[in-house]
Amino acid sequence: MEDIRAHALSVEKLLEVLKSSHSGIGEEEAEKRLALYGRNEVETDRESAASILLRQFKSPLVYILLTASLVALLMGERVDFLLIVGIVSVNALIGFFQEYRAMTTLESLRKMTELSAKVIRGGRLREIPSSTVVPGDIVLIEEGDVVPADIRLIDSRSLLIDESLLTGESVPVEKDHEALLPEDTPLYERKNLAFKGTLVVRGYGKGVVYATGFNTELGKISLRAGETSPDTPLTRALKSFSKRWMAVLVSLLSFLFLVGILQGRGFYEVGMLVIAELVSAVPEGLPIVITLVLVVGALRLSRRKTYIRYLPAAETLGSTSFIAADKTGTITQGKLKAQESFALDRDALILVSALCNNSDGKRGDPVEVALVRWLEEEGIDWRAIRESFPRVREFPFDTRRRLMATVHRTEDGYLLLVKGALESLSEMTTEIREELKKVHDEMAERGLRVLAFGIARLGEPPESLEGVKLKVVGLVGFIDPPKEGVKEAVETARKAGIRVIMITGDNLKTAKAVGSMVGIYRRGDWAIEGRQMESYTDEELYNLLKKTAVVARALPEDKYRIVRVLQSRGEIVAVTGDGVNDVPALKVADIGIAMGSGAQAAKDVAKMVITDNNLSVIVEAVRWGRVIARNIRRAIHYLLSASFGEVFLISSSFLMNLPFPLYPTQILWINLVTDGVQDKAFPFNREEIDLMRERPKKPESLFFDRSLLLDTLSTAAFMGTVNLLLFYYLLGKESYPLAVSITFTSVVVNQWFIGMQTIRELPFLYKPWRNFTMNPYIYLGLVAGVLLQLGALYLFPSYLHAEPLPTEGWFLVLTTSIGVFLFIELRKTLKFLFRKRGHS
């Protein structure tokens, strides 16, 4: 069905377009339209489980690991083959189960429509499943109902609808069926429409359905929810590294193969070299170590009211450069509070607040609930006041006059009490004091929603409000107040180089006021409305967003575009949301953060859920995300230093026309007793320095930047060189088997030292006790590795082509290891001194 601008059409014209009437359509016509337009549901095709599972294996690193497993199988090492395949499979299954759960998104959206609807068909009132509502149906809605489809109101009485689901605006919207609006009226100002999925807070309405299913505003959102989430920074970095490493590996092996042939070596010998190089080059423990770091990090976050639904998202937190945060519920409490009051007659203001009010303090209109709580804070017994002044009549809130009135009996007559907009009350009084107007304007300028209160003493209860003269007795300003800890969290984020943009459906003044309270909006910052974004190109909008702190009157498509524009310029964006309107932005964000109390649809697409809906929890999660990312970086450095060191040793020996310094089985054993036991401790590293004082790093440099590359290559080259020299020395002094055994053990112990030194970035002598408290588990891994290596040398040496070491052999092993330790410490000390000089 074509898009109908229902808000710009009169009721009669729309009924004509829809070929309907005030009596609705007939049952036969309804069946035809149901077949033509489809059910009033939000559904989409599901990706098969098999497709999701296969996608987990589409990674260059996985290809390398599977190649290594085949090589191990060809060598007859079935245990290693099964181990590597097992690691890849476990990693794939974890990713599969996480993604499969996210597929429940659209089902949650559909559940929102599993309701009944009251419709008029053929002049008769019927109750039908909302999924069978069709365009042209006449629908009735009242307090407590969920609107079943997008409707143009035909009639309304004091109708108030909560549209935060779609617009994010915290205050319910007053509806007016008589309004006729311009075609370009924004969604949040279409007061003659009611939208599917929104909640009727008060009053009654009747309307004609003009859109169902995917043609509704809710349906359009669900279509965008089907978009693919972006890869995490770690995933992108690993893909980039794997491709480069595969290219380097193929080039190196091709070169060595050619050199071997030119040296006159046999094909078998050269083939053994290729196998040894491949086994050395592949850090097969990397996926499982990364998974362990993410799992441990996710467990730590769960203790801080943060639950990770998609494991790689844990490290994405550490790369975040922008946080696009909802105002309501994340920055503010999500409920109105009487912030300020101004009384010309305090007793009368209290009287009106207590009596012209239908709330019991827990339920009702948000403004009336806030008034009751304000009275309680002032120590006023509002229940006693209501008992003393019984109500005899109510004039419900009138959307055109923008006021509500009640009549109460007193000992000597009646009281007419009114609350509403000051402009409306002004029409019922002879004069408004200038002081009152000034205070009203000042409150409004500070972003408060201001209500005026009036009173009239009468002899008889009035039949209408016409001709009644009021005395205005005061004003009350309301706001959705900030949560505790948000201001401090904003400052922490700013120091960490993260820009927080507050996005809200509220008006600009209110948004700026709240933004100022929590430190998001400061002097020099920009605050814009969502509709202004249409006039900017993506490039212009990106430059604007770098200076923008507040986006008011924002629609779902505005939030979605903000995320996409920032991502297109390389920013890592975290988005918070709790409603269905947030689903598209949550899905495409680098990390979508849903509120635990929010809509199920939002939680299903989010990568992270927080049970304490507070920005401070998110900022603290970013800190732990940086710890997780730093631990992954350390693990990568350790594993690659070990792999590259072995490649350097083997390649150099081959180029020097020396025999193999290590057997392939020894290389696999090295990976077991060094990487296999020590790298499992890296997830438990603690924060060494205040990571929230560092600016966020780009994904491509977070895990594989120049600094890491230089550290890794220098460590690998030094370790490879000292062991090459050791092997060359031993060949002229000892037998070949013993030379290999000593070199084999030297490489193992060297890598233990590298592992112990990698847990810290600062030098060993800087706060030396931290070497033992940063991560005690590394030493448990070391003990296990020592026992395994001693077993290899003295219990089952023949299985690994090894021999027991003499005392001199252990001395040589210790000498190379101390050399590696001193080299790494020298490099760390120089970097530390250079960094301190840079900060001084």
Side-chain angles (χ1 to χ4, degrees):
M1 186 175 185
E2 64 181 38
D3 190 20
I4 297 176
R5 314 297 284 179
H7 58 281
L9 298 176
S10 66
V11 172
E12 298 305 322
K13 178 64 176 176
L14 183 59
L15 287 171
E16 181 184 334
V17 170
L18 294 169
K19 297 179 181 178
S20 184
S21 68
H22 290 274
S23 300
I25 57 176
E27 288 294 342
E28 187 177 341
E29 178 63 21
E31 292 293 332
K32 291 179 181 177
R33 296 191 183 194
L34 186 62
L36 177 62
Y37 299 120
R39 297 176 70 83
N40 181 31
E41 294 177 333
V42 178
E43 293 184 354
T44 190
D45 294 333
R46 288 167 58 109
E47 184 180 11
S48 69
S51 174
I52 296 174
L53 181 60
L54 288 174
R55 186 155 29 84
Q56 309 306 314
F57 294 93
K58 294 180 180 178
S59 163
L61 187 61
V62 171
Y63 301 154
I64 295 176
L65 291 172
L66 291 177
T67 302
S69 70
L70 291 174
V71 170
L73 184 63
L74 291 172
M75 292 169 53
E77 299 291 339
R78 294 182 180 179
V79 173
D80 296 296
F81 166 76
L82 293 173
L83 180 63
I84 296 172
V85 170
I87 288 170
V88 172
S89 299
V90 168
N91 199 49
L93 286 172
I94 291 172
F96 165 74
F97 284 117
Q98 293 292 336
E99 288 196 36
Y100 190 78
R101 287 179 61 193
M103 282 178 53
T104 57
T105 304
L106 297 175
E107 290 185 19
S108 296
L109 284 171
R110 188 171 66 251
K111 286 178 182 177
M112 296 188 63
T113 67
E114 292 176 356
L115 304 165
S116 60
K118 295 184 286 291
V119 301
I120 297 175
R121 284 185 176 173
R124 296 176 59 189
L125 179 63
R126 292 194 54 203
E127 189 164 330
I128 62 173
S130 64
S131 59
T132 61
V133 170
V134 295
D137 266 331
I138 303 299
V139 172
L140 306 181
I141 53 175
E142 58 188 1
E143 184 173 331
D145 285 347
V146 174
V147 180
D150 285 2
I151 65 175
R152 167 64 160 92
L153 293 169
I154 296 172
D155 185 25
S156 62
R157 291 194 290 273
S158 303
L159 185 60
L160 199 66
I161 296 181
D162 179 358
E163 294 183 347
S164 58
L165 178 83
L166 290 174
T167 66
E169 186 167 0
S170 57
V171 179
V173 179
E174 302 162 4
K175 295 296 181 178
D176 180 7
H177 67 280
E178 294 183 349
L180 196 61
L181 305 170
E183 282 198 14
D184 61 351
T185 303
L187 190 71
Y188 49 80
E189 291 182 0
R190 296 179 188 176
K191 57 185 178 180
N192 57 5
L193 304 182
F195 301 106
K196 179 182 179 68
T198 57
L199 179 66
V200 180
V201 175
R202 185 182 67 199
Y204 160 86
K206 176 182 178 182
V208 58
V209 175
Y210 68 88
T212 59
F214 284 120
N215 291 314
T216 63
E217 296 300 326
L218 181 66
K220 293 172 186 176
I221 290 173
S222 71
L223 285 174
R224 289 197 293 271
E227 294 197 26
T228 305
S229 299
D231 287 337
T232 67
L234 176 60
T235 304
R236 295 202 292 270
L238 283 175
K239 281 183 178 179
S240 176
F241 162 75
S242 300
K243 289 176 181 177
R244 291 198 299 267
W245 182 229
M246 282 182 72
V248 170
L249 194 56
V250 169
S251 300
L252 177 63
L253 291 177
S254 300
F255 173 71
L256 292 176
F257 187 86
L258 181 61
V259 170
I261 298 300
L262 293 175
Q263 288 178 344
R265 297 186 185 233
F267 278 100
Y268 177 79
E269 189 178 1
V270 175
M272 286 296 293
L273 166 74
V274 171
I275 293 173
E277 291 279 20
L278 193 57
V279 173
S280 299
V282 178
E284 68 272 9
L286 187 56
I288 195 65
V289 173
I290 289 174
T291 301
L292 282 172
V293 173
L294 294 174
V295 168
V296 172
L299 290 173
R300 283 175 168 174
L301 285 167
S302 68
R303 299 190 202 109
R304 291 162 176 82
K305 305 176 183 178
T306 302
Y307 297 91
I308 301 296
R309 294 189 63 256
Y310 177 60
L311 272 182
E315 52 79 17
T316 306
L317 281 165
S319 308
T320 302
S321 55
F322 275 81
I323 298 176
D326 271 1
K327 176 186 79 68
T328 306
T330 305
I331 294 170
T332 62
Q333 296 176 13
K335 54 188 178 184
L336 290 178
K337 177 185 178 183
Q339 182 79 358
E340 295 182 29
S341 64
F342 175 77
L344 296 173
D345 183 336
R346 178 173 170 76
D347 291 340
L349 176 61
I350 289 172
L351 201 63
V352 182
S353 300
L355 298 177
C356 189
N357 190 325
N358 291 321
S359 172
D360 61 1
K362 297 179 180 178
R363 295 174 294 275
D365 183 289
V367 169
E368 295 184 341
V369 172
L371 277 174
V372 170
R373 288 177 177 164
W374 172 62
L375 292 172
E376 291 174 345
E377 290 172 1
E378 295 289 316
I380 307 299
D381 187 350
W382 52 273
R383 292 184 180 85
I385 295 176
R386 290 183 181 179
E387 290 176 3
S388 301
F389 298 90
R391 182 185 292 186
V392 296
R393 178 168 295 168
E394 177 183 346
F395 297 94
F397 184 84
D398 189 316
T399 55
R400 291 185 297 280
R401 300 191 69 174
R402 298 173 64 204
L403 56 79
M404 169 192 175
T406 56
V407 180
H408 301 262
R409 185 183 296 112
T410 66
E411 293 180 356
D412 55 355
Y414 295 89
L415 288 177
L416 174 68
L417 308 176
V418 182
K419 73 173 188 291
L422 181 61
E423 298 87 347
S424 301
L425 269 67
S426 299
E427 298 172 1
M428 300 175 66
T429 187
T430 55
E431 183 182 1
I432 293 290
R433 290 169 55 172
E434 286 301 319
E435 181 185 12
L436 198 68
K437 290 181 180 178
K438 181 181 178 183
V439 172
H440 174 276
D441 292 345
E442 288 174 351
M443 284 186 179
E445 192 63 34
R446 291 196 295 275
L448 301 182
R449 183 184 181 190
V450 187
L451 286 186
F453 297 75
I455 187 170
R457 300 183 185 277
L458 306 170
E460 296 292 332
E463 295 296 325
S464 72
L465 298 179
E466 300 301 326
V468 175
K469 295 300 179 184
L470 293 176
K471 174 187 176 185
V472 179
V473 297
L475 305 168
V476 176
F478 301 85
I479 199 166
D480 183 3
K483 291 185 172 181
E484 289 185 17
V486 169
K487 189 170 185 178
E488 294 78 6
V490 170
E491 185 58 31
T492 300
R494 183 172 284 114
K495 289 178 180 177
I498 302 169
R499 186 164 191 86
V500 180
I501 300 178
M502 186 179 78
I503 300 177
T504 177
D506 287 339
N507 67 69
L508 190 60
K509 287 182 179 178
T510 300
K512 287 167 66 175
V514 173
S516 297
M517 288 180 191
V518 297
I520 290 176
Y521 180 71
R522 303 189 302 176
R523 184 185 297 274
D525 287 334
W526 284 55
I528 62 173
E529 289 191 338
R531 69 175 80 185
Q532 294 175 247
M533 291 169 48
E534 297 176 6
S535 61
Y536 294 102
T537 65
D538 284 357
E539 183 64 34
E540 291 170 338
L541 181 59
Y542 173 65
N543 291 327
L544 179 64
L545 289 172
K546 289 192 292 185
K547 300 178 288 185
T548 299
V550 171
V551 180
R553 291 299 191 193
L555 296 175
E557 51 264 38
D558 298 326
K559 194 173 189 179
Y560 175 86
R561 188 183 175 205
I562 287 170
V563 174
R564 281 304 201 193
V565 166
L566 290 172
Q567 287 177 326
S568 69
R569 300 308 186 273
E571 304 291 351
I572 303 300
V573 187
V575 170
T576 71
D578 58 0
V580 178
N581 62 312
D582 298 311
V583 166
L586 287 170
K587 185 69 181 289
V588 301
D590 294 284
I591 179 157
I593 305 169
M595 308 297 112
S597 58
Q600 186 62 37
K603 287 184 276 190
D604 285 341
V605 297
K607 295 183 177 74
M608 186 175 102
V609 178
I610 58 175
T611 54
D612 183 352
N613 306 351
N614 195 315
L615 183 67
S616 62
V617 174
I618 297 170
V619 173
E620 183 62 17
V622 170
R623 177 189 297 278
W624 281 99
R626 291 190 173 187
V627 172
I628 291 167
R630 191 62 61 98
N631 287 344
I632 291 174
R633 180 184 172 93
R634 288 175 175 137
I636 289 171
H637 167 63
Y638 171 55
L639 292 171
L640 293 185
S641 295
S643 291
F644 291 1
E646 292 164 16
V647 169
F648 187 93
L649 172 61
I650 296 167
S651 302
S652 300
S653 298
F654 189 82
L655 291 173
M656 293 173 65
N657 210 13
L658 299 176
F660 290 123
L662 298 170
Y663 287 91
T665 49
Q666 289 178 336
I667 296 170
L668 289 170
W669 180 261
I670 290 170
N671 293 344
L672 174 65
V673 299
T674 58
D675 308 351
V677 293
Q678 281 194 307
D679 59 12
K680 308 306 181 292
F682 279 87
F684 303 98
N685 279 354
R686 297 187 176 93
E687 186 177 9
E688 185 175 17
I689 56 177
D690 187 358
L691 297 176
M692 294 303 279
R693 291 187 174 275
E694 297 182 357
R695 299 192 65 80
K697 293 181 173 64
K698 294 292 183 183
E700 56 270 22
S701 63
L702 183 60
F703 303 105
F704 298 105
D705 61 357
R706 181 180 298 177
S707 174
L708 178 72
L709 184 62
L710 290 174
D711 287 354
T712 300
L713 291 179
S714 62
T715 301
F718 188 86
M719 185 187 81
T721 300
V722 296
N723 283 288
L724 177 66
L725 295 174
L726 172 65
F727 182 59
Y728 185 78
Y729 166 76
L730 290 170
L731 284 176
K733 189 172 183 295
E734 306 288 352
S735 66
Y736 174 66
L738 184 57
V740 169
S741 295
I742 295 173
T743 305
F744 164 50
T745 306
S746 174
V747 171
V748 168
V749 179
N750 286 182
Q751 291 187 19
W752 287 340
F753 273 82
I754 294 171
M756 288 185 289
Q757 289 175 277
T758 304
I759 64 171
R760 291 197 68 193
E761 294 178 25
L762 300 177
F764 183 89
L765 294 177
Y766 181 78
K767 298 181 179 178
W769 63 89
R770 295 296 302 275
N771 296 292
F772 306 101
T773 59
M774 266 285 292
N775 189 348
Y777 298 101
I778 196 80
Y779 300 103
L780 294 178
L782 175 62
V783 171
V786 168
L787 293 175
L788 286 169
Q789 183 63 17
L790 290 175
L793 294 173
Y794 297 103
L795 297 180
F796 44 88
S798 59
Y799 289 99
L800 294 168
H801 309 282
E803 291 184 0
L805 267 58
T807 304
E808 184 186 358
W810 281 111
F811 174 76
L812 292 171
V813 167
L814 190 59
T815 301
T816 61
S817 300
I818 291 174
V820 169
F821 173 83
L822 293 175
F823 173 79
I824 294 174
E825 284 305 309
L826 177 63
R827 187 185 64 214
K828 287 165 69 172
T829 302
L830 291 174
K831 290 177 71 173
F832 174 69
L833 294 175
F834 179 77
R835 194 159 47 231
K836 283 197 71 174
R837 181 177 297 178
H839 287 298
S840 60

